[in-house]
Structure formats: structure tokens, C-alpha cells
């Protein structure tokens, strides 16, 4: 082969090598940014409840400990703060596993109606505190079998229902429905008549740590991780998640699942 061609091939190879390296470096830079960003968010999220708990402890040490009534009140509040920390750490643990890609799905066939009923039972007290009613949209809910990771879908439904209670108006209603879609799919909808979400926030809703009210002063505690966990789980199933919401009217979160053929176990 003539030398010129070899030189040309060589140059092309070097250019390709440089291009590959550049992509590699760019990817590393993005990962590094992501890591810094993540750590920044984590310490910020942990700071608020930690300072709150410390505040109660300092007040107790300052003398409040001698008054039984005050002591009990402050200890209960400190405990709430610790509870919040536990929730945040648990969510962080889960999101790290999900984002690092270590999520292994254990699919099985199960009745989605029964699963939703279980979550209703688990959240009964929480809903009752705000006089919120959790209901099915169907008069006689019949079993509907789906093929998915049961535990993870339970987490999805739980996160969506907890949100509908947290951001729902007192005495409101959250309705769940499961409908057939085309091609062996069902769609699960969780609809509330709560405070709703302003349009401009919707595109960023599923980002981790994203909250509509970023002030941190809101009374509803949360890590801002719930919806990003939901999205990860649904996407790991190769399914889709949707949201529709209107301020002061309410929100509807829905996701698809694969139906078990013949719809039985
Ligand atoms: P968290 O509830 O811990 O703040 P999420 O990721 O679960 O985090 O939700 C992100 C944000 O989306 C919430 O802070 C809230 O502002 C908004 N949001 C989620 N679900 C609803 C809902 N059903 N109604 C109104 N706002 C909601």
C-alpha cells in the first residue's frame, strides 16, 4: 500500500482515539459533577433535621428537662426529627442503588388490586389524620394480575399515595383505578383533589431532591426523593409514568404495567 494511505489511516486512527478519549473524559466530568451535586444535596437535606433535633436537645439540657410536660413534648419532637432522618437515609440508600444500576427486578405474577388494598391498609391511619379517603374507582374491584416486581411496585404505589395524602386538602379524596390498555398493558392511576402542581414545576418533578416548595419551611417533611424513586422503578420495568396536574384542582399520576397473559396466576 502506498505510504500516503497508511499515513491517512494512521491520522484517522489517532483522531478517532482522541475523540473516544474526549468522550470518556466528558463522561467522567459529568459523573464528577453529578457526584458533587449529589453530595451537596445530601448534606443540605440532612442539615435541617439534624439542627432541629440538636435544638430540642440543647433546650432540654438548658433546663427544660426538669419539667415533665415540656420534657415529653421536646423528646417527642426530637424523635420526629430522628424519624425524618431515618426516612431520608433509607431513601438515599434506595436511590443510590437505583442510580448505580444495581437494581435487580424480581418479577412475579400478582394481583395488583390486592396490592393496592394492602397499601390502603398500611396508610389508613396517615390518611385518617387528615380525614382523607382512599378509594378504588371501581364498584367491585376484581383481581387483575400483572407481571412485575411486587415489592418495588408496592413502593411506587405507597410513594404516590403518601404524596396524595401529604399534598391533599383535609377531607379530600384519593382515587385509584386500574384500567386495561392495548397490548396486554394496564394503567394504574392515582388521582387526588389536593393542592396540585404549578405547570412550570412539572418538567422537573421527577428529579431527585426537587420539591415545588424549596423553602424547607413547609410542614410536610420529605426528602424530595419519592418521585425519583418512582420513576426509576417504573423505567427499570420498561414502563411509562405520566403526570397531569392543575393548581388548586388536583393531580393525577399514572403508570403502565404488563398484564399477565390470561390474567391469572
Ligand atoms: P417529597 O414529597 O419528599 O418532597 P417527592 O419526590 O415525592 O418528594 O415529590 C416532589 C414534589 O412534588 C413534592 O415536594 C411536591 O411539591 C410535589 N408533589 C408530589 N406529589 C404531589 C401531589 N400529589 N400533589 C401536589 N404536589 C405533589
Amino acid at each position: 500500500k502506498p505510504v500516503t494511505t497508511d499515513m491517512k489511516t494512521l491520522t484517522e486512527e489517532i483522531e478517532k482515539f482522541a475523540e473516544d478519549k474526549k468522550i470518556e473524559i466528558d463522561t467522567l466530568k459529568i459523573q464528577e459533577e453529578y457526584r458533587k451535586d449529589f453530595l451537596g444535596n445530601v448534606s443540605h437535606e440532612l442539615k435541617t433535621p439534624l439542627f432541629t433535633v440538636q435544638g430540642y436537645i440543647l433546650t432540654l439540657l438548658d433546663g427544660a428537662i426538669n419539667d415533665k410536660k415540656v420534657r415529653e413534648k421536646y423528646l417527642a419532637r426530637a424523635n420526629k426529627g430522628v424519624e425524618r432522618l431515618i426516612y431520608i437515609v433509607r431513601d438515599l440508600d434506595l436511590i443510590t442503588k437505583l442510580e448505580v444500576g444495581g437494581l435487580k427486578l424480581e418479577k412475579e405474577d400478582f394481583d395488583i388490586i390486592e396490592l393496592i388494598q394492602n397499601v390502603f391498609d398500611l396508610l389508613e391511619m396517615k390518611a385518617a389524620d387528615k380525614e382523607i379517603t382512599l378509594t378504588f374507582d371501581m364498584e367491585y374491584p376484581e383481581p387483575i394480575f400483572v407481571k412485575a416486581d411486587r415489592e418495588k411496585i408496592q413502593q411506587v404505589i405507597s410513594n404516590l399515595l403518601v404524596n396524595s395524602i401529604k399534598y391533599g386538602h383535609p377531607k379530600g379524596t384519593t382515587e385509584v383505578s386500574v384500567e386495561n390498555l392495548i397490548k396486554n398493558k394496564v394503567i394504574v392511576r392515582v388521582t387526588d383533589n389536593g393542592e396540585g402542581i404549578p405547570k412550570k414545576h412539572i418538567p422537573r418533578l421527577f428529579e431527585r431532591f426537587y420539591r415545588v416548595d424549596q423553602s424547607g419551611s413547609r410542614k410536610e417533611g420529605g426528602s424530595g426523593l419519592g418521585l425519583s424513586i418512582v420513576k426509576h422503578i417504573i423505567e427499570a420495568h420498561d414502563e411509562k409514568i405520566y403526570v397531569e396536574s392543575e393548581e388548586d384542582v388536583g393531580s393525577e399520576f399514572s403508570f403502565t404495567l404488563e398484564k399477565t397473559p390470561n390474567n391469572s396466576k
Side-chain angles (χ1 to χ4, degrees), residues 67-228:
D67 182 324
K68 185 167 182 289
K69 259 214 163 97
V70 178
R71 179 171 71 221
E72 279 169 4
K73 190 169 92 185
Y74 283 2
L75 281 174
R77 287 188 186 172
N79 188 45
K80 270 254 173 298
V82 173
E83 249 171 35
R84 168 127 196 256
L85 282 164
I86 293 171
Y87 282 131
I88 294 176
V89 171
R90 192 205 55 191
D91 280 355
L92 280 171
D93 196 40
L94 189 59
I95 199 98
T96 311
K97 283 197 190 112
L98 293 171
E99 294 201 348
V100 172
L103 176 71
K104 285 212 175 53
L105 294 181
E106 287 173 29
K107 287 195 184 179
E108 56 182 303
D109 296 309
F110 62 90
D111 176 10
I112 183 81
I113 302 294
E114 188 195 331
L115 186 81
I116 295 165
Q117 190 61 58
N118 287 348
V119 184
F120 278 3
D121 293 345
L122 288 170
L123 296 177
E124 201 181 311
M125 301 271 274
K126 213 182 180 67
D129 280 347
K130 264 179 101 172
E131 292 182 62
I132 286 181
T133 318
L134 305 174
T135 66
F136 273 110
D137 186 20
M138 332 155 206
E139 211 171 334
Y140 303 106
E142 301 220 341
I144 298 179
F145 286 89
V146 294
K147 192 179 205 61
D149 187 317
R150 191 178 202 278
E151 209 177 292
K152 303 228 165 46
I153 297 301
Q154 169 151 354
Q155 172 102 49
V156 166
I157 293 166
S158 173
N159 285 8
L160 294 179
L161 285 176
V162 166
N163 279 351
S164 81
I165 297 169
K166 280 202 299 198
Y167 308 110
H169 295 308
K171 295 191 164 65
T173 306
T174 297
E175 206 165 69
V176 180
S177 72
V178 184
E179 285 164 48
N180 283 314
L181 269 186
I182 39 149
K183 284 201 292 186
N184 272 338
K185 296 266 183 199
V186 291
I187 185 158
V188 182
R189 296 181 211 272
V190 178
T191 314
D192 66 56
N193 51 11
E195 65 187 53
I197 302 155
K199 273 223 159 35
K200 65 168 184 185
H201 293 284
I202 290 188
R204 300 195 57 194
L205 218 55
F206 293 96
E207 284 176 26
R208 62 186 152 68
F209 300 113
Y210 192 81
R211 314 187 73 193
V212 170
D213 178 357
Q214 297 282 5
S215 67
S217 60
R218 66 190 304 162
K219 57 182 188 310
E220 296 300 350
S223 58
L225 292 171
L227 286 180
S228 59

